[in-house]
Amino acid sequence: MRIGICPGSFDPVTNGHIDIFERGSKLVDKLIIAVFENPSKKPLFTMQEREEMLVATTKHIPQVEVVSFQGLLNEYAMQRGAKFIIRGLRALSDFEYEFQRALLMKKVEPDLETVFIMTGTQYSYISSTGIRELACFGGTLDGMVPAYVEKRLKERFKDKYKA
């Protein structure tokens, strides 16, 4: 069985992420979407909330499993029998950062391959950080996040979104 892991903080999950999950799932028999805590970021949603949003927004992809984990990605990947790390790229700046991470991963776990997938151009400008900023100020989220995530963001910032 070909198992891939798509790791990220997904705070929140965007339509760009969903695009990567849908396309990445076609490359493997099982795609594990692994939510982790990024120590350099202050999350808007808890890991449990992010996991719940991912489950709700990926149920149309049959071979997806959503989990959360802590620790080293390479160790988790080996525990799960994964051979691929799937990373989404939006721009050249993403590539430079992800390329360095992939080289480090290859050094510590030579049997683990990193696969880069370019997001669809219609999502290339979307980032979770940008979405959080838009939502914080009551901005429009149309077409940038799944409907369920938009609802959760509007609940979180209900004082900014008047009915």
Side-chain angles (χ1 to χ4, degrees):
M1 177 179 273
R2 296 168 55 96
I3 300 172
I5 295 183
C6 192
S9 51
F10 308 116
D11 187 36
V13 61
T14 69
N15 285 342
H17 292 130
I18 301 297
D19 177 49
I20 298 299
F21 303 152
E22 289 170 347
R23 292 167 49 220
S25 70
K26 295 174 184 171
L27 303 175
V28 293
D29 300 310
K30 178 183 217 171
L31 179 63
I32 300 169
I33 300 171
V35 182
F36 68 89
E37 200 70 53
N38 186 334
S40 66
K41 295 181 181 178
K42 185 179 184 319
L44 176 62
F45 293 102
T46 67
M47 283 180 69
Q48 182 178 348
E49 288 171 319
R50 288 180 271 157
E51 195 173 337
E52 176 190 308
M53 284 188 278
L54 282 161
V55 167
T57 58
T58 61
K59 58 186 168 201
H60 66 286
I61 311 171
Q63 65 270 42
V64 160
E65 176 186 353
V66 177
V67 300
S68 55
F69 81 100
Q70 294 180 333
L72 294 173
L73 177 58
N74 63 304
E75 290 176 358
Y76 183 73
M78 293 299 100
Q79 282 176 348
R80 297 300 307 269
K83 295 294 180 194
F84 305 96
I85 304 296
I86 296 177
R87 298 279 193 181
L89 300 175
R90 292 171 300 173
L92 191 57
S93 56
D94 285 349
F95 177 75
E96 186 175 353
Y97 174 76
E98 294 294 350
F99 182 69
Q100 289 176 345
R101 289 176 60 150
L103 290 175
L104 179 61
M105 184 65 70
K106 196 65 166 164
K107 174 70 175 162
V108 298
E109 199 60 63
D111 292 334
L112 202 51
E113 296 295 338
T114 300
V115 176
F116 296 116
I117 299 177
M118 294 298 302
T119 192
T121 55
Q122 71 272 35
Y123 306 120
S124 62
Y125 65 93
I126 300 173
S127 70
S128 291
T129 301
I131 295 299
R132 289 192 307 272
E133 288 174 8
L134 276 171
C136 175
F137 292 104
T140 184
L141 303 170
D142 295 344
M144 293 184 266
V145 295
Y148 179 72
V149 174
E150 182 173 359
K151 178 178 176 247
R152 295 292 302 269
L153 283 162
K154 287 181 175 181
E155 287 170 0
R156 181 63 46 104
F157 296 107
K158 61 182 169 264
D159 60 321
K160 302 292 182 184
Y161 291 95
K162 305 296 182 211

